[in-house]
Amino acid sequence: MAVAETQLYAKVSNKHRSRSSSALLEPLLAKGFPAHIAQKALVATGQKTIEDAAKWLHSHCNDPSLDDPIPQEYALYLCPTGRLHSRLQDFWKESKRQCGKNRAHEVFPHVTLCDFFTCEDQKVELLYDTLKRVGDSFSQSFPPSISLTLHASPSYLGFFIDDSQANVLKEFAVAFSSEASALADCHVKPSLKQFHLTLAHKFYPHHQKTLEQLAKCINPREPCQWVAALYSRDMRFVHYQRLRAVFQYKPQNIDELMINAGDFIYVDPTHQSDVSEGWVIGTSHRTGCRGFLPENYTERAHESDTWVKHREYVFETASRSFTRTQKEPNVKLNGEAQNPSMSRSVTNVLSLQNAALRRGVLVMRHGERVDQVFGKSWLQQCLTADGKYYRVDLNFPSSLPRRKDSMKQFECDPPLSCCGIFQSRLIGEALLEQEVPVSSVYSSPALRCVQTAQHVLQGLQLNQKVKIRVEPGLFEWTKWEASKVIPNFMTVAELAEASYDIDTSYRGNFPLSSLVPSESYEDYVSRSSAAVKHITTACPSKGEGVILVVAHGSSLASLTRLLAGLPSRDSNDFAQMLRKIPSLGMCFCEELKEENKWQMVNPPVKTLTHGANAAFNWRNTIMED
């Protein structure tokens, strides 16, 4: 047993156990479920209905931890509802769109009343009773309205609560903590720090101004009803990442995990180093089972997405202008549901910022390369005895471009597979559909990148209008070249002769001779910085236009982060990050001309996701005995 799991068991091994009087428990016991498992199911579903608990038990029938006596962790939050909550959600979405994700996005808007604490499953109902009783005793003294004052610093943005009102909330938290600790035999610690509602936390300092502008659009005096809500989480996965399945995946091997669209997956970042590229090992929140799953079938989720809401106490205050039945129609803004009564000042801020946008830089990884599918020995598989190329699989390219030197050079400079060509053209068509105004294209000298750029331009119907500028400075970190030498790339003349739309007059900022084997990470970062600076300087800054840069997985971080003024990734986790970047993965930066800076925003189109398709031999499969 792992050390962490041993410590969790130690917390609960010597506790006195009492039988719950839950009316929901008896029907589950009558179905034959053991008491401790039935109680676990009820707690895991917030003790709402028998049907929810039974469904949970059915889903967890193969959960290896079903008998484990590890309790949930609970926290008590004060949460806004009504119009104020809607405005906070507007801020959440817009701050994430403009400045990227920060720590505040992990949890919904709240004020922490009590820190997380453990409570045995059979005693959770005592917490419910305590919340109701203490809430009733404070209902008359609860502030009729809560004054919120905006506070900002280089790493924190949020509303502070007036001291006199905060004192009442602290008394409520202390009363709940004291009574819950006594009745449920658990240690509940009230939050006694200055009460606050966090808007943004641990963001990059250069985003402070933008976040403050958006925060000032929130009217803290919007109608609001406050509720004290009890939430729980699985204490085993507190420090894990959370992924959400975007597509269903059916296991192909016994060690793989079955996932449905919408499932949440717990992933321990420290256990991924030995996992194959493109895969992760995780535990399903829905089933409790563990196994491998394709990472590109998932997206990042928030910490609170896997929490369970148990009970809440609604404080009836003087500001009753909001009721739960009051609803407002939603409209679409930036592709997400928004409230039409969103402050005009927010709209003004957005329009002013959008007016300042001039150019965009779309950095794209190349499409699927042939050796990615057929291995490093792919060239040996498709050459005849006299050195002629033939297609041994439909995913091999139909032909290889001519080059004056030996065809063996393709081993270090492989082409796209047929699927890679299709991927690239599909992305180009999607960019055309979104009317993305690509004005110039830069490519790494690697053949796979030039081919990707060519087929993206064909999809955009720009291959006769926009030429590809081959920039050697965009090549990937040379430390990863297995041959320990720089590949012998096709020349610009050879690429043009092979009918690629190459700008033969362009002279790169970095000559090929400047690329050295096994360069240091610092040298690679410096080269990337100089390359993107050269590209943005060389392209006209007047009028809108998107600069397309087709390069490598490493380029998504090394080019865009530097352009946006963010520090480079630490070299230790750089390789780990690259495992998560699929073929045609993209990052997008937009220029804020008036502020003389660039910011990272969502790419104009989605990344292509698809499953694996293994080689098939009908004789060995269908005819075997």
Side-chain angles (χ1 to χ4, degrees):
M1 185 183 296
V3 175
E5 292 180 354
T6 304
Q7 293 172 345
L8 291 176
Y9 278 91
K11 289 184 178 181
V12 299
S13 58
N14 298 317
K15 293 257 186 179
H16 171 70
R17 302 188 178 276
S18 62
R19 188 178 181 83
S20 170
S21 59
S22 172
L24 299 176
L25 181 61
E26 295 304 326
L28 294 175
L29 296 179
K31 293 177 181 290
F33 294 110
H36 69 289
I37 291 180
Q39 287 165 341
K40 176 177 280 193
L42 288 170
V43 167
T45 55
Q47 295 209 20
K48 293 179 177 64
T49 67
I50 298 170
E51 290 74 17
D52 287 343
K55 183 179 179 181
W56 186 93
L57 287 166
H58 176 73
S59 297
H60 286 258
C61 60
N62 295 317
D63 183 350
S65 66
L66 195 58
D67 281 316
D68 291 353
I70 299 176
Q72 296 281 298
E73 283 189 324
Y74 298 82
L76 186 64
Y77 289 158
L78 185 69
C79 303
T81 63
R83 291 182 186 172
L84 178 59
H85 178 264
S86 297
R87 301 302 171 265
L88 292 169
Q89 290 293 80
D90 290 339
F91 171 86
W92 242 247
K93 293 174 183 177
E94 195 56 37
S95 64
K96 187 175 181 180
R97 189 189 75 83
Q98 292 198 33
C99 303
K101 187 177 178 181
N102 62 66
R103 288 292 298 275
H105 290 116
E106 290 292 339
V107 186
F108 43 81
H110 70 279
V111 177
T112 302
L113 297 177
C114 297
D115 297 332
F116 275 100
F117 61 92
T118 59
C119 180
E120 294 178 84
D121 293 344
Q122 64 269 33
K123 297 179 180 178
V124 172
E125 278 195 281
L126 298 173
L127 297 181
Y128 302 166
D129 295 340
T130 299
L131 179 59
K132 174 69 167 60
R133 191 160 44 250
V134 175
D136 286 344
S137 66
F138 274 82
S139 61
Q140 297 302 314
S141 59
F142 191 87
S145 64
I146 293 180
S147 299
L148 302 174
T149 304
L150 187 63
H151 173 79
S153 73
S155 63
Y156 176 85
L157 183 71
F159 288 121
F160 282 4
I161 296 178
D162 178 80
D163 286 344
S164 62
Q165 297 168 345
N167 288 336
V168 177
L169 301 181
K170 288 178 182 179
E171 291 173 7
F172 171 79
V174 169
F176 174 85
S177 301
S178 177
E179 189 165 336
S181 297
L183 291 178
D185 188 27
C186 51
H187 178 64
V188 185
K189 182 181 178 182
S191 178
L192 299 178
K193 298 178 181 178
Q194 184 169 20
F195 275 14
H196 57 275
L197 191 155
T198 299
L199 297 176
H201 181 43
K202 290 191 176 179
F203 49 84
Y204 289 108
H206 69 273
H207 285 149
Q208 182 181 350
K209 182 179 178 181
T210 301
L211 291 169
E212 281 190 62
Q213 284 180 318
L214 293 173
K216 288 175 181 177
C217 300
I218 304 171
N219 179 7
R221 291 181 293 277
E222 288 275 13
C224 173
Q225 204 165 26
W226 294 87
V227 299
L230 191 66
Y231 287 87
S232 72
R233 67 183 182 186
D234 194 321
M235 64 190 299
R236 295 172 299 168
F237 304 113
V238 170
H239 300 297
Y240 283 47
Q241 292 179 350
R242 288 155 182 80
L243 303 177
R244 178 190 288 104
V246 181
F247 306 101
Q248 183 187 57
Y249 179 74
K250 295 181 179 180
Q252 309 296 312
N253 297 290
I254 194 171
D255 59 352
E256 294 175 3
L257 183 66
M258 170 71 186
I259 58 173
N260 294 328
D263 282 359
F264 292 104
I265 314 297
Y266 297 108
V267 173
D268 185 351
T270 64
H271 289 172
Q272 306 305 313
S273 57
D274 297 328
V275 180
S276 300
E277 182 178 357
W279 292 77
V280 294
I281 185 168
T283 302
S284 169
H285 172 72
R286 179 176 59 86
T287 67
C289 297
R290 190 167 186 263
F292 294 94
L293 64 148
E295 190 170 19
N296 63 350
Y297 276 50
T298 66
E299 62 183 7
R300 286 293 297 271
H302 298 146
E303 179 184 346
S304 60
D305 287 341
T306 55
W307 292 1
V308 177
K309 186 177 183 179
H310 289 259
R311 297 292 185 272
E312 65 179 26
Y313 187 91
V314 181
F315 289 99
E316 297 291 342
T317 65
S319 58
R320 289 190 177 91
S321 57
F322 166 82
T323 63
R324 285 173 181 261
T325 59
Q326 187 175 2
K327 294 183 179 180
E328 297 174 342
N330 285 338
V331 296
K332 292 286 185 177
L333 175 63
N334 297 320
E336 296 185 324
Q338 296 286 337
N339 197 303
S341 60
M342 182 178 179
S343 298
R344 289 188 179 182
S345 51
V346 174
T347 306
N348 291 339
V349 169
L350 300 184
S351 62
L352 285 173
Q353 290 182 344
N354 288 335
L357 295 176
R358 292 294 181 270
R359 294 180 295 166
V361 174
L362 180 61
V363 181
M364 180 185 298
R365 188 184 186 185
H366 56 77
E368 179 185 89
R369 47 195 272 184
V370 68
D371 62 331
Q372 185 179 335
V373 185
F374 299 103
K376 295 298 181 183
S377 62
W378 69 272
L379 192 61
Q380 300 172 20
Q381 303 172 40
C382 59
L383 290 182
T384 62
D386 57 354
K388 293 182 179 180
Y389 174 82
Y390 72 102
R391 197 179 191 184
V392 294
D393 185 283
L394 285 179
N395 202 18
F396 273 76
S398 57
S399 62
L400 294 178
R402 286 187 180 180
R403 54 187 308 161
K404 295 182 175 63
D405 51 23
S406 170
M407 287 187 66
K408 286 184 65 69
Q409 299 299 334
F410 283 123
E411 288 184 345
C412 297
D413 186 24
L416 293 180
S417 66
C418 271
C419 282
I421 293 171
F422 169 74
Q423 290 172 330
S424 305
R425 194 165 297 157
L426 193 62
I427 290 293
E429 292 171 357
L431 292 170
L432 176 65
E433 184 178 338
Q434 294 299 317
E435 299 181 351
V436 178
V438 173
S439 57
S440 52
V441 178
Y442 289 81
S443 171
S444 160
L447 176 59
R448 56 192 180 273
C449 297
V450 174
Q451 290 179 320
T452 299
Q454 175 75 15
H455 293 290
V456 169
L457 284 174
Q458 287 180 0
L460 274 163
Q461 299 178 12
L462 291 175
N463 49 304
Q464 300 298 320
K465 300 175 183 178
V466 179
K467 299 292 186 180
I468 302 168
R469 297 173 177 176
V470 178
E471 174 52 67
L474 295 173
F475 188 58
E476 64 185 344
W477 188 10
T478 62
K479 178 182 178 180
W480 290 333
E481 287 302 305
S483 62
K484 304 302 180 185
V485 296
I486 302 301
N488 190 9
F489 301 114
M490 292 179 66
T491 65
V492 167
E494 287 176 326
L495 291 170
E497 289 173 9
S499 299
Y500 295 114
D501 297 308
I502 303 297
D503 184 349
T504 55
S505 64
Y506 176 75
R507 297 294 177 264
N509 189 48
F510 283 83
L512 280 171
S513 59
S514 67
L515 298 178
V516 297
S518 301
E519 67 186 329
S520 68
Y521 180 66
E522 291 72 20
D523 287 344
Y524 169 67
V525 170
S526 177
R527 169 164 63 85
S528 299
S529 176
V532 74
K533 184 176 180 181
H534 167 74
I535 288 170
T536 54
T537 302
C539 293
S541 59
K542 295 181 180 180
E544 292 186 358
V546 172
I547 304 167
L548 174 61
V549 177
V550 183
H552 307 269
S554 57
S555 309
L556 268 67
S558 63
L559 298 181
T560 59
R561 289 180 65 90
L562 295 169
L563 186 60
L566 305 178
S568 59
R569 294 292 295 259
D570 185 88
S571 59
N572 294 326
D573 68 356
F574 193 59
Q576 183 75 10
M577 176 207 67
L578 292 188
R579 294 174 54 254
K580 304 177 182 180
I581 300 176
S583 299
L584 276 302
M586 290 174 281
C587 281
F588 191 51
C589 287
E590 286 183 331
E591 184 183 33
L592 297 176
K593 189 69 174 179
E594 293 179 356
E595 299 181 30
N596 192 30
K597 69 176 185 180
W598 295 76
Q599 67 174 2
M600 292 185 68
V601 297
N602 289 331
V605 297
K606 297 287 187 181
T607 301
L608 177 66
T609 304
H610 54 79
N613 199 48
F616 173 65
N617 185 308
W618 67 271
R619 189 181 301 278
N620 293 344
T621 304
I622 307 301
M623 301 298 292
E624 65 182 358
D625 295 329

